[in-house]
Amino acid sequence: MADANVYPPSAEFVQQANVKGIEGYRALYQRAAEKPEEFWGELAEQELHWFQKWTHVFEWNPPFAKWFPGGKINASYNCIDRHLTTARKNKVAILWEGEPGDQRMISYQELHRLVCRFANVLKGRGLKAGDRAIVYMGMVPELPIALLACARLGITHSVVFGGFSAEALKTRIQDLEAQVVITCDGAWRRGKEVRLKDAVDESLTDCPTVRDVIVYKRTGGEIPMQAGRDHWWHELDEGVSEICPAEELDSEHPLYVLYTSGTTGKPKGIVHTTAGYLLQAHMTMKWVFDLHEEDTYWCTADIGWVTGHSYILYGPLSAGATTMMYEGAPDFPQPDRFWRLIEKYRVNIFYTSPTAIRSFVRQGDQWPNAHDMSSLRLLGSVGEPINPAAWEWYYKVIGKERCPIVDTWWQTETGAMMIAAMPGAVPLKPGSGTLPLPGVIADVVDLQGNLVPANREGFLIIRRPWPAMARTLWREPERYKQQYWERLEGVYLAGDAARRDEDGYFWILGRVDDVMNVSGHRLSTMEIESALVRHPAVAEAAVVGKPHEITGQAVACFVTLKKGAWGDRHALAEELRKWVGHEIGSFAKPEQIRFTDALPKTRSGKIMRRLLREIVTSNSVTGDVTTLEDLDVVTRLAAQHDED
Ligand code: PRX
């Protein structure tokens, strides 16, 4: 691997690293592959606190796994209580800055008080283990506090990203049959208030299971409170006890459900349980982020996505880190907000997305160059493939050629990192996630399940169960089976195309299903299509991802209209964009709406998205994007080549 594009770890980095040298990595990997029970069993005992030890390490009834059955554990206890008898008790657990510039530094001890109080608030509302809470908040410390309070009692939480609309929120509340919604009056975003409670009010028509809405006051705007249903957090919190023992829960107790886009219009409720999830999130903090006691660690994700769950909250706190949280937009009030924060808090480990990096590239080097970021020692990337040019920029301009970049491949379903470098061990190649982590048996295969030769494209699969894997889809075990485990018998099909090079490095090429990746957010083409056809003017819609310089992909829609629905097409396109924002959330708004009088279909009536993808990629149909396109010809031609 003497290539110019290979970056081995520096001697200084190796010297201080948790895993040193490629031999260090290989030894761990081999042990996990050969003796998974011993490997994970030992780590579980060393690294987690148990009320009661498990009877065995895992049970595998494909595709359903149980990790550490028979054990009793609590995630909140592991993230807080066990640190209180150590030097960490006065260490900052959550270091927070609000968009307006307000700050909070919450020690482990203080976090314990806040979480116990809120857990008692939840108890006071009659909530108990097995109940479900929907959490729809901005990025304030009370969001992780609420989650840890739920975890303390065994209430399964489901965070809905604050960018989702009332409609999207409603379908999630209904699907989960939640008893409580925890929210804020509003959140700050680019100096404006995002009115979260208004969306909750709008969503709560037809949600008969919800008894209580608890509202944390963040922005202080006027909001209506419905007597009997709505309560202010600070009022319920008055005078409650600061003592709340953590429930002794089964290893497999469902910690959370997180909805993610699938290949149909209905989002999938990914179910994560407690012990295995926590162990892998915890270990990857040490392996991949090379976490040291003195580090200030910052993951810029939103807790509304899985990255925030595993790498702002559960992984870092379980590992006893100082985890930083920032409330607002990266470019507010100026494009250097992130660099300012790194300088101010002397951040050591910084984890962000390729979309963010590409937008920083566009804003220009003067913004980071104006700040002292010499505290940084490790950089990370997640959510989408990082193009080598963005990687190089990140490496040079942000890391000053001193900091390794860990490109971490994983998914909502995998719960924790799967393919990523151990930075003191594995030489990096820009654009590659490098090698699988211990316990992850990954391969690239064809549709028959045969290994493809080096450097050839195929499907990314995982062969064995891993501790943080999703256990099922909320109340849809059959769908879980079909989606991930049946197309290739007995292996997990990730839904990504990949290739492996001659050194065994993985290169992730993007989704192979009808899922788009826009700014690292997963969006389903079907979900947007269903939203569009709910509009009274729309007859049919087809949605595809279009390559985009900054966001990786953008949403492009082809729409046929009902008879008589023609008006001003520009106005209608704008209205449909807003409509998608209303039905799903503003982050899903299409970049392009193209009207056509027919959609290209196979003889059996399936929309030929492949063809539409070609059209938006090559732009072979150019001109005013909102003009009527005659796709008939394309359809006829393509249908002749159609295999159906
Ligand atoms: O396509 C892959 C891409 O993001 C998908 C998972 O999305 P989500 O469940 O929202 O989780 C995102 C955060 C873990 C994957 O199927 N993806 C994620 N990380 C990478 C990536 N693609 C390439 N490189 C990555 N590092």
Side-chain angles (χ1 to χ4, degrees), residues 181-302:
V181 176
I182 306 168
T183 188
C184 295
D185 49 355
W188 293 119
R189 189 79 189 171
R190 294 207 172 83
K192 294 204 180 74
E193 186 190 16
V194 180
R195 296 191 46 100
L196 296 170
K197 172 64 165 50
D198 286 354
V200 171
D201 289 339
E202 202 185 320
S203 74
L204 282 181
T205 50
D206 309 323
C207 293
T209 57
V210 175
R211 299 191 305 253
D212 292 298
V213 176
I214 303 178
V215 189
Y216 176 74
K217 187 179 268 190
R218 167 59 182 149
T219 48
E222 276 297 307
I223 54 161
M225 295 288 276
Q226 187 179 306
R229 186 195 72 183
D230 301 351
H231 320 272
W232 285 108
W233 177 309
H234 61 267
E235 287 176 6
L236 294 179
D237 183 62
E238 243 169 69
V240 297
S241 162
E242 292 181 352
I243 299 167
C244 180
E247 292 283 323
E248 301 189 7
L249 300 167
D250 288 343
S251 297
E252 282 295 328
H253 188 81
L255 178 62
Y256 67 83
V257 174
L258 192 57
Y259 287 90
T260 188
S261 296
T263 48
T264 70
K266 185 174 182 285
K268 303 186 279 197
I270 306 290
V271 177
H272 282 294
T273 61
T274 306
Y277 170 78
L278 197 63
L279 182 60
Q280 198 177 333
H282 175 107
M283 288 318 302
T284 45
M285 283 303 297
K286 297 191 168 186
W287 287 335
V288 180
F289 288 136
D290 192 47
L291 186 72
H292 294 354
E293 198 58 57
E294 63 278 16
D295 283 326
T296 298
Y297 158 85
W298 183 21
C299 163
T300 69
D302 191 290

Side-chain angles (χ1 to χ4, degrees), residues 109 168 179 225 329 352 370 433 483 569 574:
Q109 206 157 224
Q179 287 82 4
M225 295 288 276
T352 197
Q483 283 271 307
R569 271 177 249 153
E574 197 38 47

Side-chain angles (χ1 to χ4, degrees), residues 355-402:
T355 287
I357 297 163
R358 288 189 292 263
S359 66
F360 300 142
V361 173
R362 190 168 63 173
Q363 284 151 0
D365 298 5
Q366 70 278 18
W367 296 105
N369 284 347
H371 296 278
D372 172 9
M373 297 196 284
S374 56
S375 57
L376 288 174
R377 66 177 191 88
L378 180 63
L379 303 173
S381 169
V382 63
E384 35 175 335
I386 180 164
N387 47 312
W391 195 101
E392 298 281 354
W393 182 89
Y394 196 27
Y395 187 71
K396 292 199 175 98
V397 179
I398 305 305
K400 301 281 184 260
E401 303 186 35
R402 278 183 301 105

Side-chain angles (χ1 to χ4, degrees), residues 514 529 542-544 558 599-615 631 634-644:
D514 291 324
E529 285 165 7
V543 172
V544 290
F558 291 80
L599 290 172
K601 289 192 187 149
T602 63
R603 284 190 203 119
S604 58
K606 269 201 312 203
I607 294 171
M608 302 172 82
R609 289 202 185 75
R610 177 178 50 81
L611 216 131
L612 297 175
R613 228 173 275 134
E614 268 166 39
I615 292 173
L631 293 176
V634 198
T635 311
R636 278 195 303 272
L637 281 177
Q640 289 167 15
H641 296 277
D642 177 33
E643 56 280 30
D644 280 37

Side-chain angles (χ1 to χ4, degrees), residues 48-56 66-76 78 129-130 151-156 246-256 271-278 471:
L48 298 182
H49 167 274
W50 297 87
F51 296 115
Q52 182 183 301
K53 200 183 155 179
W54 63 92
T55 48
H56 43 293
K66 284 186 181 163
W67 282 80
F68 308 108
K72 296 276 184 203
I73 192 165
N74 187 291
S76 177
N78 271 278
R152 201 163 185 85
L153 301 178
I155 299 166
T156 300
E247 292 283 323
E248 301 189 7
L249 300 167
D250 288 343
S251 297
E252 282 295 328
H253 188 81
L255 178 62
Y256 67 83
V271 177
H272 282 294
T273 61
T274 306
Y277 170 78
L278 197 63
R471 298 302 193 260

